[in-house]
Amino acid sequence: MTSEASMLSELIGDIYDAALDPTLWLRALEHSCIVGGSSAVLYWHDVASESSAALHLFNDDPHYTQLYFEKYMPMNPVFPAATFIESGLIYTPTDIVPEAELRDTRFHKEWVEPQGITDVVCVNLEKATTSSSVLNIRRDGTHGIVDDAVRQRDADRAAFSARGRDRPVVRSAQDGAGGPHRNSRQCRGRHLPAGAERPATG
């Protein structure tokens, strides 16, 4: 196992430790960036109600986070397809939308590029019929694009499934935060978004 894959395995352990102890979520997100990222966010998205909420954030840009929920969320081209990806399977936006097409979207030009995001490692930690809780680890120019070592698809999927089968990640995150509004105040002293619904874990 490569050093990077080993760190990712430890990260998986951090995530499910946080599922047992919600006070560990911010630490887990910070550690997630060790595998190659500049910021991380755990959020919930429901494609049926077209609603979403940030549960925990690390090193995000408050301005762009606010813009995402207020303006750009409906433009995100990875949805609804990303919601239906199997829990624990690592993917990137270009696994869903061809890179050339992705870069030509308004979402990429106005929200992704200005932040210097070069790629995103994504994982659905939990999913219901129309919703999922998603861990995004954002990479900038110092990390480049996601390569095969980061993915480790089969090994990582097995680890997520084995550790997380009986641990409700979304419920833990949401209980520890007191819901998306309270959590956003704890992280950055701001509210996200004004009309956010309470996540349903299905």
Side-chain angles (χ1 to χ4, degrees), residues 131-153:
S131 65
S132 59
S133 60
V134 187
L135 171 64
N136 275 3
I137 305 171
R138 300 165 181 167
R139 298 165 71 91
D140 59 22
T142 62
H143 303 103
I145 62 172
V146 176
D147 58 21
D148 291 340
V150 176
R151 293 171 182 269
Q152 293 289 323
R153 289 181 183 273

Side-chain angles (χ1 to χ4, degrees), residues 25-106:
W25 271 109
L26 292 183
R27 186 189 74 175
L29 292 185
E30 180 178 8
H31 287 179
S32 73
C33 292
I34 296 175
V35 305
S38 55
S39 65
V41 57
L42 174 64
Y43 68 99
W44 160 86
H45 187 96
D46 188 288
V47 295
S49 62
E50 296 186 346
S51 56
S52 182
L55 299 174
H56 293 278
L57 309 100
F58 171 73
N59 202 35
D60 66 307
D61 184 314
H63 171 67
Y64 280 98
T65 298
Q66 188 78 19
L67 279 177
Y68 179 81
F69 290 104
E70 292 183 346
K71 179 178 180 180
Y72 289 103
M73 184 187 71
M75 303 181 196
N76 191 338
V78 306
F79 292 109
T83 302
F84 306 109
I85 293 177
E86 181 181 350
S87 296
L89 182 63
I90 291 176
Y91 62 95
T92 70
T94 54
D95 289 328
I96 298 172
V97 182
E99 183 176 3
E101 182 179 333
L102 183 67
R103 291 183 177 278
D104 196 42
T105 64
R106 182 180 172 188

